[in-house]
Amino acid sequence: MTSYEITDLVKRIDERGSLVVVESMRDIAFDVKRIYYIFDCKSSESRGFHAHRNLRQFAICLKGSCDFIMDNGKKRDEVHLDDPSKGITIEPWIWHEMHNLSDDCLLIVLASELYDESDYIRDYKTFIDEVNL
Ligand code: TYD
């Protein structure tokens, strides 16, 4: 079982530039309730290191690049993101880490729920114990 899915979004290119659309229930399988974005990155500083019990997310690297570690408790995959027309779906029960964020990295995340710290699993051993229940 793979721990991630990459979606190729349609790029509408004309002489003015490019446009990409992400629509709830069309391009992604959930309604978006929250958007957050990460920028001014320090490449030496990794992020993430958690999983969610319920939250579904879709991340797009709009600028620059970064590497995602996607870990379902059995398989750990590394995914390089550097294309604003590709999104990665982060389902619940996927431990994810972001590494090597470029200085110019702009990472936008579309989320299915409002922020809820109680939905986070921030300890890897707890994640492994709960995911294997
Ligand atoms: P954090 O979870 O550490 O970010 P990352 O997933 O990149 O490791 O979040 C950084 C801070 O921002 C932390 O104090 C929680 C807060 N935060 C919110 O208040 N709302 C949000 O929607 C998110 C994603 C984070």
Side-chain angles (χ1 to χ4, degrees):
M1 184 193 145
T2 179
S3 62
Y4 70 97
E5 187 183 336
I6 297 288
T7 300
D8 283 307
L9 300 161
V10 175
K11 220 193 259 186
R12 295 159 204 280
I13 308 170
D14 61 30
E15 60 287 348
R16 299 168 298 171
S18 301
L19 184 150
V20 173
V21 181
V22 183
E23 287 184 292
S24 292
M25 309 310 292
R26 291 186 172 173
D27 304 292
I28 54 175
F30 55 85
D31 280 323
V32 177
K33 284 201 186 147
R34 173 168 57 106
I35 296 171
Y36 62 93
Y37 41 95
I38 292 168
F39 58 103
D40 284 349
C41 301
K42 311 275 177 288
S43 58
S44 53
E45 299 289 341
S46 297
R47 307 192 64 113
F49 298 92
H50 60 254
H52 292 278
R53 295 185 171 88
N54 179 47
L55 186 71
R56 306 179 78 181
Q57 300 188 96
F58 185 78
I60 309 162
C61 187
L62 291 180
K63 200 168 169 224
S65 62
C66 62
D67 296 324
F68 269 76
I69 295 290
M70 302 288 281
D71 180 342
N72 63 7
K74 295 196 163 58
K75 195 164 176 287
R76 201 171 162 89
D77 294 303
E78 184 169 332
V79 185
H80 183 70
L81 282 191
D82 62 359
D83 181 340
S85 68
K86 284 190 194 309
I88 187 166
T89 299
I90 309 167
E91 294 289 3
W93 300 105
I94 299 293
W95 181 268
H96 50 286
E97 303 169 7
M98 292 90 93
H99 299 278
N100 305 319
L101 295 101
S102 63
D103 291 352
D104 61 345
C105 180
L106 171 57
L107 187 66
I108 189 162
V109 183
L110 315 182
S112 66
E113 305 297 335
L114 302 181
Y115 178 70
D116 174 10
E117 184 59 37
S118 71
D119 187 60
Y120 281 71
I121 304 167
R122 292 193 184 270
D123 175 65
Y124 189 72
K125 190 181 174 308
T126 304
F127 164 70
I128 290 296
D129 289 348
E130 291 195 22
V131 83
N132 289 323
L133 278 180

